[in-house]
Amino acid sequence: MVPQELPKVGLFLIGLLIATGADGQQLRSVFPPGGEVGRTGSVTFAAGGLQGMSAARCSHPGVSFTKRDGNAFIVQIEDDVPAGFYDVQAIGTNGITSSRTFFVTTRHHVVEAEPQQGAPAQLVSVNNTISGKITQGDTDTYRFHASQGDKLVIECWADRIDSSLRAILELLDGNGRRLAINRGYFGVDPAISIVIPADGEYNVKLHDLVYTGSDDHCYRLDITTGPRAIFASPPVVEAGRESIVQLFGWNLATPGKQQLAAASQLGKPLAFESTTVHITPTVAKPNLQVHRWHAGHSVDAIPYYLANADAPFPIAVTDARVARARNNRSPSEGQPITVPIDVCGQLTASDENHWYVIEARRGEVFYLEAFGQRIGSPVDLDLSVFDSSGATELTAFHDERQDIGGPRYPSSHLDPEGRWVAPADGNYLINVRNLTGGFVDDPRRVYRLSVRREEPDVQLVAIAQPESPTGINVPRGGRTVLDVLAFRRRGLQASIRVSAQDLPAGVTCPDIWLGPGTTKAPLVLTADRDAAPNTSTLDLIGHVGRPALPIREGENISTVQCATMIQAGLPNGSGRLAADLPFAVAGIAPIRITADGHEPRNHHLFGKLQVRHAPGGVLDVAVRVERAQTGHTAPVTISAIGLPDLIRNQTATIPPGQEKGYISFYLPHSLPVGMYSFAIKAESTVPVAGQEGKTQNVTAFSNSVAFEVHPPVFQLDLTLDTPRKIKRGRIARVNYTVHRINGFISKIHTELAAPGRVTDVGDLRGRGVTSVGQGESGTIQIIANEDAELGQIPFLRLYAVGVLEDEALYHGSCFLPLEIVE
């Protein structure tokens, strides 16, 4: 994307605001939340934490905004913009906001009119799309005329367009008699279908479940006799092949033509109709503008545009063969399937079970995954594997409870998945059932069952790091951090490399690594001091491979999907996939942090050593602090963000007036070999611009620190009798053991050390020990100076180097918690 220039006023103050960690730039509402193809309209943005709102952007280039007074804009939607759902952001002098949904409709778009005291409800026409919002205690009412036999669909979009509204939808006749009511059909969004019983005027009423309201309680209301697809069979198609798909929904029998209803249907809900379509997906990629499926990162989808329908219908895409369930409701009727496969069915009845037969060899590994909630189906699926008779359950898979995304991007879901190893040669039964069938049959209960061998895979998602909705903004001369989430599948444990592409001038983003088994790592964007204020989009790719190998086009590469947090404070979180990941360069950073995890160690025997990290070692990070106002001195507290779970976090303080400090991390023996990344977080104070003597808290982040963990050749440990205190002017003897690994028998030299120092660590001095041959233990004598400063020396440790042909190649350490006392 070509960067867009930002206004250049108040940059220094803005930089302070960006770096302080205060509430971020959140887009709280857009009203109306959509517009009509080929038309212009007025739209108002409401944002928090954004200064000098001056522009807005949309994920589709055919939707543009022109600034008017205040926070109002003229929106222009070009003729070639497809109907659908897009992301918009507001832009100000201090950056860009988080995203909200903006819909585009092909129908006539009507905006709710302010009600007049005593006036009748607003009159609208059938086949209109209405935008409105609910205020505190409000009920919106619309009048429309309909004819007997009209097959009417009334649908409210609220949660699906990022609104806080939990809508209740009612339909009343001209006499005020309620004909229908609904509080949730598409998730929590309501819909009503009805055959109009008589010519006349009707009223639609809409209010919040608990009669609350705000500018964020906006909605889209469709009143139509047009086609509305609701589910598909199968709900997934094979990439690159023409597939016959049966769409089910309302008014589908002859799209665009109204069919007369029988007298017996008047006043009743519409029956489902179906239409058959041919679909050939040419590109299988994460859908960016069609669906708002929960945990949608795991579903590739394309939009299908049904004739005369206003919203695209999402169809999932797979790289495996697709089959349909056929007469398989009991173990004896088990349907044979061949792996790999995606097989689809409907659990219409409340107690319906579907059975499939696979042939397996002893020790063969299968990965089973069912899709229901994640494709918009009203089911809670359960998945089991039985022996060939169906009498003995061998294993069962239930809800996915791991929530890697947390409140920013809730990723736990109701769909079961898991790994199964065949215990012997033979046939086995897979059972699929719905746990929430209820008492009413519902043909919407479709599912997709994927059966694969254990072929490693991953889905990657990037999202802004703060635990509240915010845009991604990089201060000039500073940095900002995103999180990359790794949803590992089918046994993938290897390190994953993530790279940024096509960054604008003045912005850098070094590659990061998610280590073996790691599910989250920080990605750091840095802006040069002379970078031009602008907005752009972040394009990321992931690659599974060895560190020494370059990324080759098309080889083990996956696109990193984008996500955005919508609302804070909800118990289950609020976030979804986003169309893209825009960011802005804005403001000036008052403090810059630079971390170096590869600083050589000066050894009095072996000179400058480049540390080769291994489990059982210590990773030292040198941290430098640069301040925009050099005359201000304050302590800087540092810690890590994005450390692998197995590595314990630490804190350290860089004293006032010093520009450099260290923080160290012990790499446990259980840490898998591979590449990892993390970053350093620094907290301090900076002067408040224009207010002499006043300061404010500031949080800044370092560049990413990548390090490789190699296999160890020895393990260094303290013995149980290690002293915990040493008196001034006295000697302490520290006993240790060295356990050699992988046949290493060369010399191991052990010293006292601290970050940046070996043997002489200030107020303590140690006498090194060399172990040869099969030496397994040793003792280091430590002498404390007479005037040694009381307390502990941060990150004191025993440090050993393994020597091969007189070259120090291997490193190991263990922290020594030794306190200097009187």
Side-chain angles (χ1 to χ4, degrees):
M1 176 181 175
V2 178
Q4 299 177 1
E5 188 171 348
L6 286 180
K8 301 180 180 178
V9 297
L11 291 179
F12 182 71
L13 177 60
I14 293 161
L16 294 182
L17 292 174
I18 289 175
T20 56
D23 289 342
Q25 293 86 340
Q26 177 186 1
L27 184 55
R28 292 174 176 164
S29 67
V30 181
F31 189 80
E36 185 178 346
V37 170
R39 297 295 183 93
T40 61
S42 179
V43 63
T44 300
F45 289 74
L50 186 70
Q51 299 174 359
M53 187 185 298
S54 58
R57 73 173 293 276
C58 180
S59 56
H60 194 291
V63 179
S64 58
F65 298 91
T66 303
K67 184 73 167 63
R68 294 180 64 196
D69 295 336
N71 293 342
F73 293 81
I74 294 295
V75 58
Q76 172 68 52
I77 303 175
E78 302 298 335
D79 294 338
D80 59 350
V81 178
F85 302 89
Y86 303 93
D87 285 335
V88 293
Q89 304 84 28
I91 301 169
T93 53
N94 64 333
I96 192 168
T97 65
S98 57
S99 299
R100 297 295 287 235
T101 295
F102 188 83
F103 70 79
V104 172
T105 178
T106 57
R107 298 192 182 117
H108 180 56
H109 181 226
V110 177
V111 179
E112 173 193 16
E114 288 296 327
Q116 301 295 320
Q117 186 70 29
Q122 182 175 350
L123 181 65
V124 297
S125 298
V126 173
N127 295 318
N128 281 186
T129 290
I130 305 156
S131 287
K133 62 182 173 183
I134 298 292
T135 57
Q136 187 75 31
D138 189 19
T139 297
D140 285 356
T141 303
Y142 300 95
R143 297 180 296 136
F144 65 92
H145 294 281
S147 301
Q148 185 183 66
D150 282 350
K151 296 180 178 179
L152 201 68
V153 176
I154 307 170
E155 180 178 358
C156 177
W157 302 71
D159 179 67
R160 291 170 292 168
I161 59 170
D162 303 335
S163 172
S164 296
L165 176 65
R166 296 296 175 263
I168 303 294
L169 192 62
E170 295 182 78
L171 176 65
L172 299 91
D173 65 15
N175 297 319
R177 183 172 65 93
R178 179 191 291 167
L179 301 179
I181 186 171
N182 188 262
R183 57 175 290 180
Y185 191 85
F186 298 99
V188 297
D189 285 349
I192 290 172
S193 71
I194 189 171
V195 180
I196 294 296
D199 295 353
E201 186 175 274
Y202 293 83
N203 291 282
V204 172
K205 286 191 173 183
L206 186 67
H207 63 83
D208 184 76
L209 175 66
V210 294
Y211 286 94
T212 188
S214 70
D215 286 343
D216 185 34
H217 285 61
C218 59
Y219 59 85
R220 163 182 167 164
L221 182 65
D222 292 336
I223 304 176
T224 180
T225 56
R228 177 63 167 101
I230 297 175
F231 64 95
S233 178
V236 62
V237 295
E238 185 177 352
R241 297 188 62 178
E242 183 180 70
S243 299
I244 298 175
V245 176
Q246 194 171 12
L247 297 179
F248 293 84
W250 296 313
N251 298 331
L252 301 186
T254 51
K257 295 182 180 180
Q258 187 67 30
Q259 299 294 303
L260 295 177
S264 61
Q265 296 175 326
L266 297 178
K268 295 182 179 180
L270 300 184
F272 282 144
E273 299 173 352
S274 68
T275 186
T276 299
V277 297
H278 293 254
I279 299 175
T280 305
T282 56
V283 178
K285 65 178 182 179
N287 180 269
L288 301 180
Q289 62 192 41
V290 178
H291 70 76
R292 292 292 186 263
W293 287 334
H294 182 78
H297 60 270
S298 57
V299 183
D300 292 349
I302 60 168
Y304 179 76
Y305 291 89
L306 182 65
N308 299 303
D310 188 56
F313 184 79
I315 294 287
V317 180
T318 180
D319 59 358
R321 186 172 63 88
V322 176
R324 303 192 195 202
R326 302 185 187 280
N327 302 319
N328 60 345
R329 298 188 180 187
S330 68
S332 61
E333 298 174 313
Q335 178 179 340
I337 56 175
T338 303
V339 180
I341 195 170
D342 278 67
V343 61
C344 309
Q346 286 175 273
L347 299 170
T348 302
S350 60
D351 59 349
E352 195 166 339
N353 283 253
H354 285 185
W355 297 83
Y356 299 95
V357 180
I358 61 170
E359 183 180 358
R361 293 188 176 276
R362 182 176 181 271
E364 193 171 3
V365 180
F366 296 91
Y367 189 87
L368 284 69
E369 182 174 16
F371 295 81
Q373 183 188 20
R374 290 175 294 166
I375 57 173
S377 179
V379 293
D380 181 0
L381 297 174
D382 201 57
L383 197 58
S384 300
V385 179
F386 287 80
D387 64 5
S388 58
S389 68
T392 302
E393 184 181 66
L394 304 179
T395 190
F397 305 108
H398 311 291
D399 301 348
E400 175 52 62
R401 299 184 182 277
Q402 187 179 22
D403 189 9
I404 295 172
R408 293 173 296 164
Y409 178 68
S411 56
S412 59
H413 52 78
L414 301 179
D415 295 342
E417 58 184 288
R419 179 180 188 267
W420 175 68
V421 182
D425 294 355
N427 290 338
Y428 296 89
L429 288 166
I430 300 174
N431 173 248
V432 184
R433 64 189 180 117
N434 176 28
L435 300 179
T436 56
F439 299 101
V440 179
D441 289 354
D442 189 345
R444 295 181 299 157
R445 297 177 187 140
V446 295
Y447 69 85
R448 164 189 169 192
L449 171 64
S450 174
V451 184
R452 308 288 184 100
R453 292 183 174 83
E454 196 171 41
E455 300 163 344
D457 188 22
V458 67
Q459 282 115 15
L460 299 169
V461 176
I463 190 170
Q465 192 188 62
E467 295 287 327
S468 59
T470 184
I472 300 169
N473 296 292
V474 195
R476 293 190 298 162
R479 315 182 201 275
T480 196
V481 178
L482 297 80
D483 276 334
V484 176
L485 313 176
F487 297 89
R488 297 172 179 269
R489 306 172 67 239
R490 301 201 287 265
L492 179 68
Q493 292 295 321
S495 294
I496 302 165
R497 182 180 179 181
V498 177
S499 304
Q501 303 182 112
D502 303 324
L503 291 169
V507 177
T508 57
C509 182
D511 293 359
I512 66 164
W513 292 87
L514 291 91
T518 301
T519 58
K520 182 169 66 176
L523 181 100
V524 182
L525 284 172
T526 301
D528 296 342
R529 293 193 184 279
D530 58 353
N534 64 73
T535 61
S536 188
T537 53
L538 188 59
D539 183 13
L540 302 173
I541 59 170
H543 172 74
V544 179
R546 296 195 300 275
L549 297 179
I551 295 180
R552 295 183 176 89
E553 185 174 355
E555 181 183 10
N556 297 326
I557 290 177
S558 60
T559 300
V560 178
Q561 301 179 66
C562 313
T564 184
M565 187 176 186
I566 302 303
Q567 298 179 47
L570 298 180
N572 296 322
S574 174
R576 59 166 175 79
L577 287 186
D580 55 14
L581 207 58
F583 70 93
V585 176
I588 297 177
I591 186 170
R592 181 184 177 101
I593 304 298
T594 303
D596 183 1
H598 302 281
E599 186 177 80
R601 291 179 183 169
N602 292 316
H603 199 288
H604 65 287
L605 294 179
F606 303 104
K608 286 189 175 182
L609 299 179
Q610 197 66 48
V611 178
R612 183 179 187 270
H613 297 294
V618 170
L619 172 64
D620 291 326
V621 181
V623 180
R624 293 187 179 273
V625 181
E626 301 173 68
R627 293 181 178 270
Q629 291 185 300
T630 57
H632 178 76
T633 61
V636 180
T637 301
I638 55 178
S639 59
I641 57 169
L643 279 175
D645 292 339
L646 292 173
I647 300 178
R648 181 181 177 182
N649 206 346
Q650 303 282 354
T651 60
T653 300
I654 302 175
Q658 294 189 18
E659 297 179 350
K660 182 181 178 181
Y662 289 90
I663 187 169
S664 303
F665 306 95
Y666 180 70
L667 308 180
H669 300 300
S670 56
L671 186 67
V673 170
M675 287 291 298
Y676 298 85
S677 292
F678 66 98
I680 299 297
K681 180 176 75 172
E683 298 172 297
S684 188
T685 62
V686 296
V688 177
Q691 300 184 42
E692 186 175 352
K694 289 191 175 183
T695 62
Q696 60 181 339
N697 296 328
V698 63
T699 299
F701 300 95
S702 77
N703 52 291
S704 62
V705 178
F707 65 100
E708 185 173 5
V709 176
H710 300 271
V713 298
F714 61 84
Q715 178 179 322
L716 181 68
D717 290 302
L718 301 174
T719 61
L720 294 177
D721 59 356
T722 298
R724 302 295 176 179
K725 297 180 180 180
I726 183 172
K727 293 183 177 181
R728 286 173 167 172
R730 298 294 182 88
I731 297 175
R733 291 175 173 80
V734 176
N735 299 320
Y736 66 89
T737 61
V738 176
H739 175 59
R740 297 171 183 270
I741 302 172
N742 297 326
F744 183 75
I745 60 173
S746 296
K747 290 191 300 183
I748 299 175
H749 186 79
T750 306
E751 296 271 5
L752 184 69
R757 296 171 289 177
V758 178
T759 299
D760 187 349
V761 293
D763 291 332
L764 298 177
R765 288 171 291 136
R767 181 177 298 174
V769 176
T770 299
S771 303
V772 296
Q774 297 295 327
E776 295 288 339
S777 63
T779 300
I780 287 184
Q781 293 189 70
I782 300 175
I783 304 171
N785 294 342
E786 295 284 352
D787 58 350
E789 183 179 348
L790 300 179
Q792 288 189 346
I793 295 177
F795 309 118
L796 185 69
R797 84 290 299 266
L798 295 189
Y799 170 47
V801 294
V803 181
L804 186 63
E805 296 180 355
D806 295 327
E807 186 177 359
L809 295 178
Y810 307 105
H811 307 258
S813 299
C814 56
F815 283 137
L816 175 59
L818 188 63
E819 181 183 4
I820 301 173
V821 298
E822 289 283 4

